[in-house]
Amino acid sequence: MSEATPTASTVLPALPALGAQAERLIELGVHAFSGLAADEIRAFAANAEGSQGSDGALLAVHPGRAPASALAPLLRRDGKPGFVVTDMPDVDLFTPCAVELPDAPLYLVTAPDRGDHMANWSPSEALPALTDEGRTPLLLTEGIHWVLQQPEALERNRCFMTIGSRLRKANGTMDARTPALWISNGTGRDGRERRNAPKVGWCWWNNRHTWLGFASAKDRTAKDG
């Protein structure tokens, strides 16, 4: 899983306006598999635009409607579709943990950040630090939404973990795997044909990686006006 030591952090462009984000989701067909009407997404975005905190916000579909397994193949890089690693067939069982998620089909994720300053931290170290900063870790589905709207957010050697999603085992303990988004090197079971493709994978809860930050947001809101 290792990659080269990261270079200086990149300043990302502003997220598209919420109306443009809505059209992007519709273009990709997200409304179709999430049980939403295209006009429902458009209306939510139109009502939310201009409200306090909507500038720089990410439009997200609730993971219960748009799971990671359906969203990941919509990612594109160098013309190659995104994919979930073969040893994560249970990707959709990674659900929100210690995250307050709006009870709504659509919501806003405000001020997403890649967490480059936490590169080479472990998830166990990053979570309390994010809490101290007043930030909330992104869910895996939110991370995918972010890259769908802003492909520049996934940069080689500047990728990120989404530790707001965890898998609780039958005995009540947490699975040690934690989801992440990065760029495939086309090695191992990925296959050479997937080199440079966006990749949903996992890392261990107590391990560090110099090329993985910890994506987070200021908050989430389902307000539509």
Side-chain angles (χ1 to χ4, degrees), residues 1-37:
M1 292 185 186
S2 62
E3 290 197 359
T5 301
T7 56
S9 179
T10 299
V11 177
L12 296 175
L15 273 163
L18 292 175
Q21 292 186 44
E23 294 303 325
R24 173 70 171 150
L25 294 180
I26 295 164
E27 174 192 359
L28 292 170
V30 174
H31 64 296
F33 63 73
S34 61
L36 295 168

Side-chain angles (χ1 to χ4, degrees), residues 72-77 80-84 194 197-200:
L74 303 178
L75 295 167
R76 289 292 184 279
R77 190 175 188 275
K80 298 178 180 180
F83 67 99
V84 180
R194 282 175 164 165
K199 173 177 177 176
V200 172

Side-chain angles (χ1 to χ4, degrees), residues 21-22 25-26 30-31 34-46 48 58-66 101-109 145 220-224:
Q21 292 186 44
L25 294 180
I26 295 164
V30 174
H31 64 296
S34 61
L36 295 168
D39 284 346
E40 187 176 355
I41 299 178
R42 290 188 178 107
F44 178 89
L58 175 68
L59 175 59
V61 180
H62 194 285
R65 289 177 174 259
L101 197 62
D103 184 17
L106 298 163
Y107 62 97
L108 302 182
V109 179
H145 273 291
R220 300 170 179 83
T221 178
K223 63 187 175 186
D224 57 1

